[in-house]
Amino acid sequence: MTHQELRTLWTSFWEKKAHKLVSPAPLVLQNDPTTLFTSSGMQPLIPYLNGEAHPLGKKLYNIQLCFRAVDIDEVGNNRHTTFFEMMGNWSLGDYFKEEQLGWIWEFFTQELKLPKEKLYVSVFEGEGEVFADHESVKIWKKLGVADDHIHFYGSDKNWWSRSGPPNKMPVGEIGGPDSEVFYDFGEDLKIHENSPFKEKECHPNCDCGRFLEIGNSVFIQYKKSANGSLTELPQKNVDYGGGLERILAAVNNDPDIFKTDVFSSIIRIIEVETGISYDKSEKKAEMRVIADHMKAAVFMIVSGVIPSNKEQGYMLRRLLRRAAIKTRSVSGDLPVKLFISVGNAVLTIYDGYDGINKKEQETLVASVISNEMNKFSQSLDNGLKYFNKYEKVDEKIAFDLFQNFGFPFEVTQELVEEKGYSLDPTRFNEHYESHKNQSRTASAGTFKGGLADQSEQVLKYHTATHLLHQALRDVLGPSVRQEGSNITGERLRFDFFVDKKPDTDAFKKVEQIINEKIAEKLSVECKILPKKEAEKIGALYFFKEKYGDEVKVYFVGDYSKEFCGGPHVQNTGEIGSIKITKVKKIGSNLMRIYAQ
Ligand code: SER
């Protein structure tokens, strides 16, 4: 079966069941301060699972592009990827377990014709205030699932929320027990023979590779309350998700999802470009990582992400650099041509689907990939030389590799694992933090608070920066957050985050407000306040900075209040006037303003 055929079957199945297609969310999120990527189909539906009325009704379905960074270390086996398509259906307080499990069973056994004897199911065994899910067991049995194909597990396996089991759910998070379906590829599989589990008794969740989870019906009916207990939501919901790539593997009865048609042409190109056969080589895991990461990277690039050291851009950079390191390990080389061909293959597979237009995007994809790979290949050679100088690389050396050669931590971790040992991420972070503190102290004397010096002009620009910060929030909304500032006698520079694209006239308004506040000749005053009180009165602060218990807050009239070390002018009238000379985008949701 092809992925297009599977998508069509999913769509027509739910149309027949009177469900409405809800548009998938973008893979790369711009307006969600809690997360960078969509990682499940339910994410955009949270308000509706909580009880808000959905404009399309109570029965929904779709296929959602997802990215899960948490699975990055698992990629390399037969079934894990960071990027995947999730086929989902939802009941927003409409039907519940009986219909859901019946329909999913019907989809698997009648639409996809998966043999019943190859399907296993799991149910929640109960924990704390939530009882074992005997209701689902009864339904599965009624559908014809044999007793020994039904397995109970605890909240580590059969509970779903975005944050995991109940004890990890933050206040307000929703979730519930779930029931999964697994496909059995058979005991005699080589993958099972080779697995560390081969001496142990196998079961659907044993992770040996014999069983593949192909669908998860979550019964979202609880919310974490402030006292730590779970309270019932106003409605009982169903949230189902099944990975398209995994379901295809089950339909094709081949446990390797990299053999499905959403991967096979990518793997083929890696084989051609490296001259290594996927099936025969010991580098299968590396080839899978390259295929997965490059696919995720292409989807990020077409969504407008460019490699950088921040947020989505940093994830893209990590994916490309991890793919580069794996390619080096497969072929001994870093052929940029390989990455461009793989990028093209990804566009070919998905051409015309969910934001992909090969003809329009291939130049962009090729140039982003080749720029980043060329940049990295220079430091990679030098970094590997540095790496190879040491008999044993420790966390300090891993930090040097990060700092000087752009090796993300996990890249060094991959490299050392090949030599049979591993690094401690906490110790790596200690080096990282200590470096940050040192550079903060070192720059404090020369560039305190982003000021080049204490000259009259710099002080004027500094106060103007506070007016700018508040004016940006007035015009663009409270998502505006300072990311950095740099002030010289010539100009002020201010970097900030904003959750939406500003209108063309937004910065004119900002400039006008600043000049009005200058004309009002507002006095500038400083108070030392307990940090809690300063936060309570709504003083703005630079979120990357660590503050003590007592902080200095600068008030500009009653217009702006901000945590700040100073110094400033005494009255805004001294500033004269301010003109915004340049505004540019410096990253996703990040902008830089210059003013004089
Ligand atoms: N939310 C569940 C998951 O992501 C089912 O859709 O697995």
Side-chain angles (χ1 to χ4, degrees), residues 39-43 49 66 68 84 86-90 160-162 178 180 213 215-218 220 238-243:
S39 62
S40 67
M42 60 78 82
Q43 206 166 297
L49 294 161
C66 296
R68 287 191 179 173
F84 62 100
M86 185 183 276
M87 308 204 303
N89 73 278
W90 295 274
W160 201 89
S161 80
R162 287 178 306 163
D178 63 28
E180 298 183 318
E213 185 235 302
N216 186 11
S217 298
V218 188
I220 296 195
V238 173
D239 158 37
Y240 168 84

PDB file of all heavy atoms in Angstrom, residues 39-43 49 66 68 84 86-90 160-162 178 180 213 215-218 220 238-243, ligand 1:
ATOM      1  N   SER A  39       3.344  18.555  17.911  1.00  0.00           N
ATOM      2  CA  SER A  39       3.863  17.202  18.139  1.00  0.00           C
ATOM      3  C   SER A  39       2.753  16.167  18.266  1.00  0.00           C
ATOM      4  O   SER A  39       3.033  14.995  18.445  1.00  0.00           O
ATOM      5  CB  SER A  39       4.728  17.180  19.395  1.00  0.00           C
ATOM      6  OG  SER A  39       3.939  17.523  20.501  1.00  0.00           O
ATOM      7  N   SER A  40       1.497  16.600  18.177  1.00  0.00           N
ATOM      8  CA  SER A  40       0.406  15.625  18.143  1.00  0.00           C
ATOM      9  C   SER A  40      -0.826  16.304  17.555  1.00  0.00           C
ATOM     10  O   SER A  40      -0.936  17.538  17.565  1.00  0.00           O
ATOM     11  CB  SER A  40       0.085  15.102  19.541  1.00  0.00           C
ATOM     12  OG  SER A  40      -0.452  16.131  20.313  1.00  0.00           O
ATOM     13  N   GLY A  41      -1.739  15.466  17.064  1.00  0.00           N
ATOM     14  CA  GLY A  41      -2.926  16.015  16.421  1.00  0.00           C
ATOM     15  C   GLY A  41      -3.824  16.758  17.388  1.00  0.00           C
ATOM     16  O   GLY A  41      -4.562  17.662  17.004  1.00  0.00           O
ATOM     17  N   MET A  42      -3.754  16.392  18.680  1.00  0.00           N
ATOM     18  CA  MET A  42      -4.669  17.002  19.645  1.00  0.00           C
ATOM     19  C   MET A  42      -4.256  18.411  20.078  1.00  0.00           C
ATOM     20  O   MET A  42      -5.061  19.172  20.596  1.00  0.00           O
ATOM     21  CB  MET A  42      -4.851  16.110  20.887  1.00  0.00           C
ATOM     22  CG  MET A  42      -3.617  15.799  21.689  1.00  0.00           C
ATOM     23  SD  MET A  42      -3.042  17.103  22.796  1.00  0.00           S
ATOM     24  CE  MET A  42      -4.086  16.856  24.208  1.00  0.00           C
ATOM     25  N   GLN A  43      -2.971  18.738  19.848  1.00  0.00           N
ATOM     26  CA  GLN A  43      -2.435  20.011  20.359  1.00  0.00           C
ATOM     27  C   GLN A  43      -3.303  21.230  20.007  1.00  0.00           C
ATOM     28  O   GLN A  43      -3.631  22.006  20.891  1.00  0.00           O
ATOM     29  CB  GLN A  43      -1.026  20.165  19.815  1.00  0.00           C
ATOM     30  CG  GLN A  43      -0.118  21.011  20.651  1.00  0.00           C
ATOM     31  CD  GLN A  43       1.322  20.806  20.192  1.00  0.00           C
ATOM     32  OE1 GLN A  43       1.862  19.716  20.277  1.00  0.00           O
ATOM     33  NE2 GLN A  43       1.921  21.847  19.674  1.00  0.00           N
ATOM     34  N   LEU A  49     -11.177  20.260  23.744  1.00  0.00           N
ATOM     35  CA  LEU A  49     -11.189  19.097  24.630  1.00  0.00           C
ATOM     36  C   LEU A  49     -11.554  19.546  26.042  1.00  0.00           C
ATOM     37  O   LEU A  49     -12.109  18.805  26.841  1.00  0.00           O
ATOM     38  CB  LEU A  49      -9.817  18.401  24.620  1.00  0.00           C
ATOM     39  CG  LEU A  49      -9.434  17.751  23.276  1.00  0.00           C
ATOM     40  CD1 LEU A  49      -7.935  17.505  23.181  1.00  0.00           C
ATOM     41  CD2 LEU A  49     -10.182  16.441  23.058  1.00  0.00           C
ATOM     42  N   CYS A  66       3.771  15.978  12.343  1.00  0.00           N
ATOM     43  CA  CYS A  66       4.258  16.150  13.719  1.00  0.00           C
ATOM     44  C   CYS A  66       5.780  16.059  13.784  1.00  0.00           C
ATOM     45  O   CYS A  66       6.407  15.330  13.005  1.00  0.00           O
ATOM     46  CB  CYS A  66       3.717  15.025  14.616  1.00  0.00           C
ATOM     47  SG  CYS A  66       1.938  15.019  14.792  1.00  0.00           S
ATOM     48  N   ARG A  68       8.677  15.373  16.912  1.00  0.00           N
ATOM     49  CA  ARG A  68       8.917  15.099  18.331  1.00  0.00           C
ATOM     50  C   ARG A  68      10.415  15.013  18.615  1.00  0.00           C
ATOM     51  O   ARG A  68      11.047  13.999  18.321  1.00  0.00           O
ATOM     52  CB  ARG A  68       8.252  13.780  18.743  1.00  0.00           C
ATOM     53  CG  ARG A  68       6.758  13.896  18.831  1.00  0.00           C
ATOM     54  CD  ARG A  68       6.097  12.698  19.474  1.00  0.00           C
ATOM     55  NE  ARG A  68       4.655  12.943  19.514  1.00  0.00           N
ATOM     56  CZ  ARG A  68       3.736  12.065  19.893  1.00  0.00           C
ATOM     57  NH1 ARG A  68       4.101  10.860  20.280  1.00  0.00           N
ATOM     58  NH2 ARG A  68       2.462  12.368  19.888  1.00  0.00           N
ATOM     59  N   PHE A  84       6.758  12.658  11.672  1.00  0.00           N
ATOM     60  CA  PHE A  84       5.799  11.654  11.199  1.00  0.00           C
ATOM     61  C   PHE A  84       4.441  12.299  10.951  1.00  0.00           C
ATOM     62  O   PHE A  84       4.206  13.445  11.333  1.00  0.00           O
ATOM     63  CB  PHE A  84       5.664  10.504  12.206  1.00  0.00           C
ATOM     64  CG  PHE A  84       5.133  10.916  13.556  1.00  0.00           C
ATOM     65  CD1 PHE A  84       3.808  10.713  13.887  1.00  0.00           C
ATOM     66  CD2 PHE A  84       5.957  11.523  14.491  1.00  0.00           C
ATOM     67  CE1 PHE A  84       3.312  11.092  15.127  1.00  0.00           C
ATOM     68  CE2 PHE A  84       5.469  11.912  15.735  1.00  0.00           C
ATOM     69  CZ  PHE A  84       4.147  11.695  16.048  1.00  0.00           C
ATOM     70  N   MET A  86       0.524  11.979  11.753  1.00  0.00           N
ATOM     71  CA  MET A  86      -0.377  11.317  12.700  1.00  0.00           C
ATOM     72  C   MET A  86      -1.800  11.344  12.159  1.00  0.00           C
ATOM     73  O   MET A  86      -2.361  12.403  11.903  1.00  0.00           O
ATOM     74  CB  MET A  86      -0.320  12.015  14.061  1.00  0.00           C
ATOM     75  CG  MET A  86      -1.155  11.282  15.094  1.00  0.00           C
ATOM     76  SD  MET A  86      -1.164  12.121  16.668  1.00  0.00           S
ATOM     77  CE  MET A  86       0.334  11.503  17.380  1.00  0.00           C
ATOM     78  N   MET A  87      -2.363  10.131  12.000  1.00  0.00           N
ATOM     79  CA  MET A  87      -3.745  10.056  11.566  1.00  0.00           C
ATOM     80  C   MET A  87      -4.594  10.117  12.843  1.00  0.00           C
ATOM     81  O   MET A  87      -4.409   9.288  13.743  1.00  0.00           O
ATOM     82  CB  MET A  87      -3.984   8.748  10.816  1.00  0.00           C
ATOM     83  CG  MET A  87      -2.961   8.541   9.694  1.00  0.00           C
ATOM     84  SD  MET A  87      -3.488   7.454   8.356  1.00  0.00           S
ATOM     85  CE  MET A  87      -3.856   5.975   9.228  1.00  0.00           C
ATOM     86  N   GLY A  88      -5.491  11.095  12.929  1.00  0.00           N
ATOM     87  CA  GLY A  88      -6.213  11.290  14.187  1.00  0.00           C
ATOM     88  C   GLY A  88      -7.718  11.391  14.026  1.00  0.00           C
ATOM     89  O   GLY A  88      -8.216  11.781  12.964  1.00  0.00           O
ATOM     90  N   ASN A  89      -8.446  10.975  15.058  1.00  0.00           N
ATOM     91  CA  ASN A  89      -9.884  11.288  15.121  1.00  0.00           C
ATOM     92  C   ASN A  89     -10.236  11.672  16.557  1.00  0.00           C
ATOM     93  O   ASN A  89      -9.545  11.271  17.502  1.00  0.00           O
ATOM     94  CB  ASN A  89     -10.754  10.124  14.625  1.00  0.00           C
ATOM     95  CG  ASN A  89     -10.807   8.969  15.604  1.00  0.00           C
ATOM     96  OD1 ASN A  89      -9.900   8.147  15.640  1.00  0.00           O
ATOM     97  ND2 ASN A  89     -11.865   8.884  16.407  1.00  0.00           N
ATOM     98  N   TRP A  90     -11.265  12.490  16.673  1.00  0.00           N
ATOM     99  CA  TRP A  90     -11.632  13.012  17.991  1.00  0.00           C
ATOM    100  C   TRP A  90     -13.138  13.026  18.222  1.00  0.00           C
ATOM    101  O   TRP A  90     -13.909  13.306  17.285  1.00  0.00           O
ATOM    102  CB  TRP A  90     -11.121  14.460  18.154  1.00  0.00           C
ATOM    103  CG  TRP A  90      -9.647  14.500  18.146  1.00  0.00           C
ATOM    104  CD1 TRP A  90      -8.806  14.332  19.206  1.00  0.00           C
ATOM    105  CD2 TRP A  90      -8.808  14.679  16.998  1.00  0.00           C
ATOM    106  NE1 TRP A  90      -7.498  14.389  18.783  1.00  0.00           N
ATOM    107  CE2 TRP A  90      -7.465  14.598  17.439  1.00  0.00           C
ATOM    108  CE3 TRP A  90      -9.043  14.894  15.642  1.00  0.00           C
ATOM    109  CZ2 TRP A  90      -6.388  14.731  16.583  1.00  0.00           C
ATOM    110  CZ3 TRP A  90      -7.971  15.008  14.780  1.00  0.00           C
ATOM    111  CH2 TRP A  90      -6.658  14.937  15.254  1.00  0.00           C
ATOM    112  N   TRP A 160      -1.999   8.947  28.713  1.00  0.00           N
ATOM    113  CA  TRP A 160      -1.441   9.932  27.803  1.00  0.00           C
ATOM    114  C   TRP A 160      -1.834  11.351  28.186  1.00  0.00           C
ATOM    115  O   TRP A 160      -3.003  11.662  28.441  1.00  0.00           O
ATOM    116  CB  TRP A 160      -1.877   9.688  26.354  1.00  0.00           C
ATOM    117  CG  TRP A 160      -0.920  10.374  25.390  1.00  0.00           C
ATOM    118  CD1 TRP A 160       0.218   9.841  24.854  1.00  0.00           C
ATOM    119  CD2 TRP A 160      -1.009  11.712  24.888  1.00  0.00           C
ATOM    120  NE1 TRP A 160       0.839  10.769  24.048  1.00  0.00           N
ATOM    121  CE2 TRP A 160       0.116  11.922  24.043  1.00  0.00           C
ATOM    122  CE3 TRP A 160      -1.903  12.756  25.071  1.00  0.00           C
ATOM    123  CZ2 TRP A 160       0.349  13.121  23.391  1.00  0.00           C
ATOM    124  CZ3 TRP A 160      -1.666  13.965  24.421  1.00  0.00           C
ATOM    125  CH2 TRP A 160      -0.546  14.140  23.589  1.00  0.00           C
ATOM    126  N   SER A 161      -0.811  12.190  28.301  1.00  0.00           N
ATOM    127  CA  SER A 161      -1.005  13.643  28.341  1.00  0.00           C
ATOM    128  C   SER A 161       0.243  14.180  27.656  1.00  0.00           C
ATOM    129  O   SER A 161       1.202  13.431  27.450  1.00  0.00           O
ATOM    130  CB  SER A 161      -1.074  14.152  29.786  1.00  0.00           C
ATOM    131  OG  SER A 161       0.231  14.270  30.312  1.00  0.00           O
ATOM    132  N   ARG A 162       0.250  15.456  27.348  1.00  0.00           N
ATOM    133  CA  ARG A 162       1.443  15.995  26.670  1.00  0.00           C
ATOM    134  C   ARG A 162       2.666  15.937  27.563  1.00  0.00           C
ATOM    135  O   ARG A 162       3.788  16.002  27.101  1.00  0.00           O
ATOM    136  CB  ARG A 162       1.193  17.439  26.221  1.00  0.00           C
ATOM    137  CG  ARG A 162       0.257  17.517  25.037  1.00  0.00           C
ATOM    138  CD  ARG A 162       0.000  18.936  24.663  1.00  0.00           C
ATOM    139  NE  ARG A 162      -0.481  19.691  25.812  1.00  0.00           N
ATOM    140  CZ  ARG A 162      -0.475  21.012  25.874  1.00  0.00           C
ATOM    141  NH1 ARG A 162       0.002  21.716  24.892  1.00  0.00           N
ATOM    142  NH2 ARG A 162      -0.951  21.621  26.950  1.00  0.00           N
ATOM    143  N   ASP A 178      -5.332   5.320  28.295  1.00  0.00           N
ATOM    144  CA  ASP A 178      -5.467   5.058  26.857  1.00  0.00           C
ATOM    145  C   ASP A 178      -5.436   3.563  26.572  1.00  0.00           C
ATOM    146  O   ASP A 178      -5.172   2.745  27.466  1.00  0.00           O
ATOM    147  CB  ASP A 178      -4.398   5.811  26.061  1.00  0.00           C
ATOM    148  CG  ASP A 178      -2.981   5.387  26.396  1.00  0.00           C
ATOM    149  OD1 ASP A 178      -2.783   4.225  26.798  1.00  0.00           O
ATOM    150  OD2 ASP A 178      -2.069   6.218  26.264  1.00  0.00           O
ATOM    151  N   GLU A 180      -3.967   1.022  23.509  1.00  0.00           N
ATOM    152  CA  GLU A 180      -3.173   1.003  22.281  1.00  0.00           C
ATOM    153  C   GLU A 180      -3.394  -0.287  21.505  1.00  0.00           C
ATOM    154  O   GLU A 180      -3.742  -1.315  22.072  1.00  0.00           O
ATOM    155  CB  GLU A 180      -1.689   1.143  22.621  1.00  0.00           C
ATOM    156  CG  GLU A 180      -1.376   2.471  23.299  1.00  0.00           C
ATOM    157  CD  GLU A 180       0.104   2.682  23.596  1.00  0.00           C
ATOM    158  OE1 GLU A 180       0.761   1.718  24.039  1.00  0.00           O
ATOM    159  OE2 GLU A 180       0.589   3.789  23.386  1.00  0.00           O
ATOM    160  N   GLU A 213       3.562  -0.426  17.895  1.00  0.00           N
ATOM    161  CA  GLU A 213       2.326   0.267  18.291  1.00  0.00           C
ATOM    162  C   GLU A 213       1.816   1.031  17.077  1.00  0.00           C
ATOM    163  O   GLU A 213       2.532   1.840  16.492  1.00  0.00           O
ATOM    164  CB  GLU A 213       2.640   1.235  19.435  1.00  0.00           C
ATOM    165  CG  GLU A 213       1.415   1.915  19.985  1.00  0.00           C
ATOM    166  CD  GLU A 213       1.520   3.417  19.983  1.00  0.00           C
ATOM    167  OE1 GLU A 213       2.448   3.967  20.584  1.00  0.00           O
ATOM    168  OE2 GLU A 213       0.651   4.046  19.351  1.00  0.00           O
ATOM    169  N   GLY A 215      -1.544   2.453  16.997  1.00  0.00           N
ATOM    170  CA  GLY A 215      -2.636   3.386  17.260  1.00  0.00           C
ATOM    171  C   GLY A 215      -2.902   3.503  18.746  1.00  0.00           C
ATOM    172  O   GLY A 215      -2.684   2.560  19.495  1.00  0.00           O
ATOM    173  N   ASN A 216      -3.349   4.698  19.128  1.00  0.00           N
ATOM    174  CA  ASN A 216      -3.564   4.967  20.545  1.00  0.00           C
ATOM    175  C   ASN A 216      -4.858   5.751  20.730  1.00  0.00           C
ATOM    176  O   ASN A 216      -4.973   6.882  20.259  1.00  0.00           O
ATOM    177  CB  ASN A 216      -2.370   5.777  21.073  1.00  0.00           C
ATOM    178  CG  ASN A 216      -2.438   5.989  22.566  1.00  0.00           C
ATOM    179  OD1 ASN A 216      -3.255   5.369  23.252  1.00  0.00           O
ATOM    180  ND2 ASN A 216      -1.592   6.870  23.078  1.00  0.00           N
ATOM    181  N   SER A 217      -5.841   5.132  21.402  1.00  0.00           N
ATOM    182  CA  SER A 217      -7.087   5.844  21.713  1.00  0.00           C
ATOM    183  C   SER A 217      -6.975   6.363  23.139  1.00  0.00           C
ATOM    184  O   SER A 217      -6.932   5.577  24.091  1.00  0.00           O
ATOM    185  CB  SER A 217      -8.293   4.902  21.636  1.00  0.00           C
ATOM    186  OG  SER A 217      -8.432   4.407  20.330  1.00  0.00           O
ATOM    187  N   VAL A 218      -6.895   7.679  23.267  1.00  0.00           N
ATOM    188  CA  VAL A 218      -6.781   8.269  24.607  1.00  0.00           C
ATOM    189  C   VAL A 218      -8.166   8.739  25.036  1.00  0.00           C
ATOM    190  O   VAL A 218      -8.871   9.396  24.268  1.00  0.00           O
ATOM    191  CB  VAL A 218      -5.809   9.474  24.616  1.00  0.00           C
ATOM    192  CG1 VAL A 218      -5.568   9.946  26.044  1.00  0.00           C
ATOM    193  CG2 VAL A 218      -4.503   9.142  23.931  1.00  0.00           C
ATOM    194  N   ILE A 220      -9.552  11.178  27.033  1.00  0.00           N
ATOM    195  CA  ILE A 220      -9.202  12.412  27.756  1.00  0.00           C
ATOM    196  C   ILE A 220     -10.405  12.847  28.576  1.00  0.00           C
ATOM    197  O   ILE A 220     -11.405  13.308  28.044  1.00  0.00           O
ATOM    198  CB  ILE A 220      -8.756  13.518  26.785  1.00  0.00           C
ATOM    199  CG1 ILE A 220      -7.473  13.059  26.082  1.00  0.00           C
ATOM    200  CG2 ILE A 220      -8.546  14.843  27.524  1.00  0.00           C
ATOM    201  CD1 ILE A 220      -6.705  14.127  25.374  1.00  0.00           C
ATOM    202  N   VAL A 238     -12.519  11.621  23.243  1.00  0.00           N
ATOM    203  CA  VAL A 238     -11.632  10.619  22.659  1.00  0.00           C
ATOM    204  C   VAL A 238     -10.599  11.365  21.823  1.00  0.00           C
ATOM    205  O   VAL A 238     -10.939  12.296  21.084  1.00  0.00           O
ATOM    206  CB  VAL A 238     -12.401   9.647  21.738  1.00  0.00           C
ATOM    207  CG1 VAL A 238     -11.424   8.724  21.013  1.00  0.00           C
ATOM    208  CG2 VAL A 238     -13.412   8.834  22.532  1.00  0.00           C
ATOM    209  N   ASP A 239      -9.346  10.965  21.978  1.00  0.00           N
ATOM    210  CA  ASP A 239      -8.259  11.537  21.170  1.00  0.00           C
ATOM    211  C   ASP A 239      -7.469  10.358  20.629  1.00  0.00           C
ATOM    212  O   ASP A 239      -6.730   9.713  21.365  1.00  0.00           O
ATOM    213  CB  ASP A 239      -7.386  12.421  22.071  1.00  0.00           C
ATOM    214  CG  ASP A 239      -5.989  12.627  21.522  1.00  0.00           C
ATOM    215  OD1 ASP A 239      -5.836  12.748  20.298  1.00  0.00           O
ATOM    216  OD2 ASP A 239      -5.040  12.650  22.342  1.00  0.00           O
ATOM    217  N   TYR A 240      -7.660  10.062  19.347  1.00  0.00           N
ATOM    218  CA  TYR A 240      -6.940   8.926  18.767  1.00  0.00           C
ATOM    219  C   TYR A 240      -5.825   9.440  17.872  1.00  0.00           C
ATOM    220  O   TYR A 240      -6.009  10.403  17.111  1.00  0.00           O
ATOM    221  CB  TYR A 240      -7.891   8.049  17.933  1.00  0.00           C
ATOM    222  CG  TYR A 240      -7.117   7.050  17.109  1.00  0.00           C
ATOM    223  CD1 TYR A 240      -6.716   5.841  17.669  1.00  0.00           C
ATOM    224  CD2 TYR A 240      -6.713   7.346  15.805  1.00  0.00           C
ATOM    225  CE1 TYR A 240      -5.941   4.942  16.936  1.00  0.00           C
ATOM    226  CE2 TYR A 240      -5.945   6.450  15.068  1.00  0.00           C
ATOM    227  CZ  TYR A 240      -5.559   5.256  15.641  1.00  0.00           C
ATOM    228  OH  TYR A 240      -4.789   4.387  14.924  1.00  0.00           O
ATOM    229  N   GLY A 241      -4.674   8.758  17.918  1.00  0.00           N
ATOM    230  CA  GLY A 241      -3.590   9.067  16.998  1.00  0.00           C
ATOM    231  C   GLY A 241      -2.857   7.807  16.608  1.00  0.00           C
ATOM    232  O   GLY A 241      -2.571   6.953  17.456  1.00  0.00           O
ATOM    233  N   GLY A 242      -2.590   7.671  15.325  1.00  0.00           N
ATOM    234  CA  GLY A 242      -1.815   6.521  14.844  1.00  0.00           C
ATOM    235  C   GLY A 242      -0.826   7.009  13.799  1.00  0.00           C
ATOM    236  O   GLY A 242      -1.179   7.809  12.925  1.00  0.00           O
ATOM    237  N   GLY A 243       0.426   6.576  13.893  1.00  0.00           N
ATOM    238  CA  GLY A 243       1.463   7.022  12.958  1.00  0.00           C
ATOM    239  C   GLY A 243       1.261   6.384  11.582  1.00  0.00           C
ATOM    240  O   GLY A 243       1.217   5.164  11.464  1.00  0.00           O
TER     241      GLY A 243
HETATM  242  N1  SER B   1      -2.505  12.274  21.706  1.00  0.00           N
HETATM  243  C1  SER B   1      -2.180  10.885  21.529  1.00  0.00           C
HETATM  244  C2  SER B   1      -0.769  10.705  20.982  1.00  0.00           C
HETATM  245  O1  SER B   1      -0.169  11.671  20.577  1.00  0.00           O
HETATM  246  C3  SER B   1      -3.175  10.232  20.631  1.00  0.00           C
HETATM  247  O2  SER B   1      -3.515  11.070  19.581  1.00  0.00           O
HETATM  248  O3  SER B   1      -0.281   9.613  20.953  1.00  0.00           O
END
